Amino acid sequence: QVQFVESGGGLVEPGRSLRLSCVASGNISEFSFMGWYRQGPGKQREWVAGILPGGRTYYPESVKDRFTISGDDNRRTLYLQMHNLTPEDTAIYYCNFYPAENYWGRGTQVTVSS
C-alpha cells in the first residue's frame, strides 16, 4: 500500500512563491519515478513536474522555469517549489508516481489571488 500526504498550500498573491511538501509511505524507493500533479477548478488533473531516479527533472511548458521538483534520495519526501505564481496556478496539488498510479492523496489547495 502506498500513501501520499501533501501539505504547504495556501492563499498567496500573484507573483509570490510557495513550497509544497509531500510525504510518501509504502513501496517507495530511490528507484521510484515521482511527480506532482494539479487539478484546477473545472479542469482535468494535469501533470506539472516529474523527477526520475538520479534526479533528472521534467516539466510541461506551462510551469517550466517557474516550478522546481526535488526530493530526498529515498523519494519519501518530495517538494515542489513554485515561483511567480499566477491565478492560473490555482488548483489542488497532488504528488504521485510518474506516471501516476491510483494512489491519490487529499492534495493541498493552492489559491493565487489578490
Side-chain angles (χ1 to χ4, degrees):
Q1 189 71 9
V2 174
Q3 284 189 320
F4 298 106
V5 180
E6 302 90 351
S7 62
L11 172 63
V12 294
E13 294 180 339
R16 308 288 281 188
S17 299
L18 203 59
R19 188 193 197 206
L20 307 183
S21 299
C22 168
V23 175
S25 60
N27 193 18
I28 307 285
S29 77
E30 65 270 28
F31 303 110
S32 297
F33 291 33
M34 307 300 296
W36 281 94
Y37 304 80
R38 70 183 180 187
Q39 186 166 17
K43 299 180 181 180
Q44 289 189 334
R45 190 175 288 155
E46 62 175 345
W47 163 71
V48 295
I51 185 166
L52 306 186
R56 182 171 291 185
T57 58
Y58 294 89
Y59 309 91
E61 285 299 320
S62 59
V63 305
K64 194 175 181 181
D65 299 328
R66 298 191 300 121
F67 288 13
T68 302
I69 184 173
S70 62
D72 294 349
D73 288 344
N74 60 13
R75 295 291 183 260
R76 293 193 177 273
T77 304
L78 286 177
Y79 304 98
L80 184 67
Q81 179 69 55
M82 306 183 293
H83 296 295
N84 194 23
L85 287 163
T86 74
E88 287 68 39
D89 296 315
T90 294
I92 301 174
Y93 285 72
Y94 305 86
C95 62
N96 203 312
F97 292 107
Y98 173 56
E101 299 184 18
N102 194 25
Y103 296 116
W104 298 105
R106 293 185 176 182
T108 186
Q109 175 72 50
V110 173
T111 303
V112 184
S113 174
S114 56

